[in-house]
């Protein structure tokens, strides 16, 4: 690989760049989405969780709190995680809501973002999605106003405080590692938020860009996962620049689940390669190996 040896900083050198660690936080609207999914039968909260954690989450399940809209999140297009992509789409949609949550303030921008996403199949964003999502503002507002959700949110805040204490050192390393990536790869990111939700599946991780803020959202804190999701927005435009090479190669990439290939067309090949490239780059970056040029790096991977 084409590395710039001068940029291969040690962890100690990274610390000197910025000693201010980022923190783990929540976004009430996203917390409300997963609280509502919990009421609709979402059971992925139990994976890799302690019995105490599971017991507490189960205590917030109540028949009176179920809102029919959220039952529509579960689909049959992704066998390993049937809540993909609609749970992630609702996370994205929450950033497009008006301040009072009464409506989607920029429907066209939301639609363009979803329709241009390379990791969503066409059958997952057809008219059925858009007919359904019109009910999101009303349904979310109902959850946010629910006393049961407010009680849950109080516990979530305490849980997050513990998470910050437990992961203080790792948060500092992530911040400084991403600072290097932002500097080297001309990233537009100016702020980073790590949103961890105690109901969301620990294997589900999504990222969002809200203006110039990169937002990582998952069910479990993981240094590797945060860096992985961040690097997607660095790698994606570079993959598009060498799209012809990737689609012509028609490779099958080791360790990449067949779902990443979507329908097997060029969009699927690009999506699968991007995931593969990000996984390899994540390993390198975590070992303080920062490629000098992303395009050359990707071409060698192909």
């Amino acid at each position: 690989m084409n590395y710039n040896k001068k940029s291969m900083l040690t962890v100690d050198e990274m610390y000197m760049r910025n000693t201010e660690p980022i923190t783990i936080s929540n976004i009430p609207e996203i917390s409300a989405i997963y609280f509502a999914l919990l009421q609709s039968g979402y059971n992925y909260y139990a994976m890799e969780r302690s019995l105490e954690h599971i017991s507490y989450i189960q205590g917030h399940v109540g028949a009176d709190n179920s809102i029919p809209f959220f039952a529509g999140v579960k689909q049959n297009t992704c066998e390993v995680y049937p809540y993909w992509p609609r749970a992630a789409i609702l996370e994205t949609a929450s950033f497009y809501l008006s301040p009072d949550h009464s409506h989607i303030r920029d429907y066209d921008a939301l639609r363009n973002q979803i329709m241009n996403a390379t990791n969503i199949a066409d059958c997952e964003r057809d008219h059925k999605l858009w007919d359904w999502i019109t009910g999101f503002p009303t349904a979310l507002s109902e959850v946010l106003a629910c006393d049961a959700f407010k009680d849950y949110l109080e516990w979530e805040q305490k849980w997050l405080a513990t998470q910050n204490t437990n992961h203080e050192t790792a948060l500092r390393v992530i911040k400084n590692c991403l600072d290097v990536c932002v500097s080297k790869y001309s990233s537009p990111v100016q702020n980073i938020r790590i949103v961890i939700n105690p109901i969301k599946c620990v294997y589900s991780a999504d990222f969002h860009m809200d203006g110039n803020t990169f937002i990582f959202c998952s069910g479990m804190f993981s240094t590797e996962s945060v860096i992985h999701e961040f690097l997607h927005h660095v790698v994606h435009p570079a993959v598009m620049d060498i799209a012809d090479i990737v689609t012509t190669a028609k490779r099958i990439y080791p360790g990449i689940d067949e779902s990443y290939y979507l329908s097997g067309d060029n969009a699927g090949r690009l999506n699968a390669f991007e995931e593969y490239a990000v996984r390899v780059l994540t390993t390198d970056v975590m070992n303080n190996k920062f490629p000098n040029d992303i395009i050359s790096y990707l071409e060698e991977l192909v």
Side-chain angles (χ1 to χ4, degrees):
M1 300 301 177
N2 183 20
Y3 297 119
N4 179 355
K5 295 185 182 297
K6 291 183 179 179
S7 70
M8 294 167 61
L9 306 181
T10 66
V11 172
D12 288 340
E13 288 172 328
M14 289 185 194
Y15 270 97
M16 295 175 64
R17 291 172 59 89
N18 188 345
T19 58
E20 182 81 22
I22 53 180
T23 60
I24 299 170
S25 63
N26 64 3
I27 295 176
E29 290 80 2
I30 291 179
S31 297
I33 289 169
Y34 286 96
F35 179 84
L37 290 180
L38 180 68
Q39 314 309 317
S40 299
Y42 185 89
N43 60 4
Y44 285 85
Y45 66 87
M47 299 178 70
E48 303 295 331
R49 305 283 198 186
S50 69
L51 292 177
E52 181 182 7
H53 187 106
I54 293 170
S55 177
Y56 193 87
I57 298 299
Q58 287 176 336
H60 282 282
V61 179
D64 294 340
N65 301 323
S66 179
I67 298 175
F69 169 84
F70 290 96
V73 176
K74 189 175 184 180
Q75 301 286 287
N76 60 6
T77 57
C78 181
E79 183 177 354
V80 295
Y81 186 55
Y83 291 88
W84 170 265
R86 287 197 173 186
I89 288 174
L90 289 187
E91 288 184 22
T92 299
S94 69
F95 297 105
Y96 289 90
L97 293 174
S98 61
D100 63 357
H101 307 108
S102 64
H103 63 280
I104 297 174
R105 57 179 168 76
D106 196 340
Y107 179 85
D108 289 341
L110 170 62
R111 184 182 177 92
N112 286 339
Q113 181 172 340
I114 300 303
M115 297 305 290
N116 289 323
T118 58
N119 58 347
I120 300 176
D122 289 341
C123 66
E124 297 170 329
R125 53 189 175 194
D126 60 12
H127 69 91
K128 295 191 291 292
L129 169 68
W130 301 108
D131 291 345
W132 169 75
I133 210 168
T134 57
F136 179 50
T138 299
L140 184 68
S141 296
E142 189 174 342
V143 180
L144 291 168
C146 174
D147 287 338
F149 171 68
K150 293 176 182 178
D151 290 341
Y152 159 79
L153 199 60
E154 287 186 13
W155 171 81
E156 185 178 279
Q157 294 285 14
K158 297 175 183 177
W159 182 81
L160 289 169
T162 301
Q163 295 295 303
N164 276 297
T165 299
N166 292 344
H167 301 297
E168 183 177 359
T169 300
L171 287 166
R172 190 186 299 272
V173 171
I174 288 173
K175 176 63 166 62
N176 287 281
C177 180
L178 298 190
D179 279 348
V180 174
C181 292
V182 168
S183 176
K184 281 189 63 62
Y185 307 129
S186 302
S187 168
V189 170
Q190 294 184 16
N191 302 295
I192 298 169
R193 291 191 65 180
I194 297 179
V195 175
I196 304 298
N197 183 275
I199 297 175
K200 185 172 182 176
C201 177
V202 299
Y203 296 114
S204 176
D206 302 286
F207 76 87
H208 310 279
M209 288 296 297
D210 185 20
N212 55 22
T213 298
F214 170 82
I215 301 171
F216 169 86
C217 184
S218 183
M220 179 179 69
F221 175 81
S222 162
T223 302
E224 180 177 0
S225 189
V226 173
I227 294 174
H228 175 103
E229 293 302 326
F230 174 83
L231 289 174
H232 266 290
H233 100 278
V234 171
V235 168
H236 178 73
V239 170
M240 294 301 103
D241 285 343
I242 63 167
D244 289 346
I245 298 174
V246 175
T247 54
T248 300
K250 298 182 179 180
R251 282 190 58 193
I252 300 298
Y253 301 100
I256 303 302
D257 184 85
E258 63 180 15
S259 64
Y260 284 97
Y261 294 88
L262 304 176
S263 60
D265 57 7
N266 285 345
R269 294 188 186 97
L270 291 171
N271 187 58
F273 173 70
E274 178 179 330
E275 176 63 22
Y276 172 69
V278 168
R279 292 184 187 184
V280 176
L281 181 58
T282 298
T283 299
D284 285 338
V285 164
M286 290 186 68
N287 285 290
N288 300 323
K289 298 177 181 178
F290 297 89
N292 186 44
D293 179 73
I294 290 292
I295 295 292
S296 299
Y297 181 89
L298 296 182
E299 288 176 339
E300 290 188 35
L301 286 182
V302 176

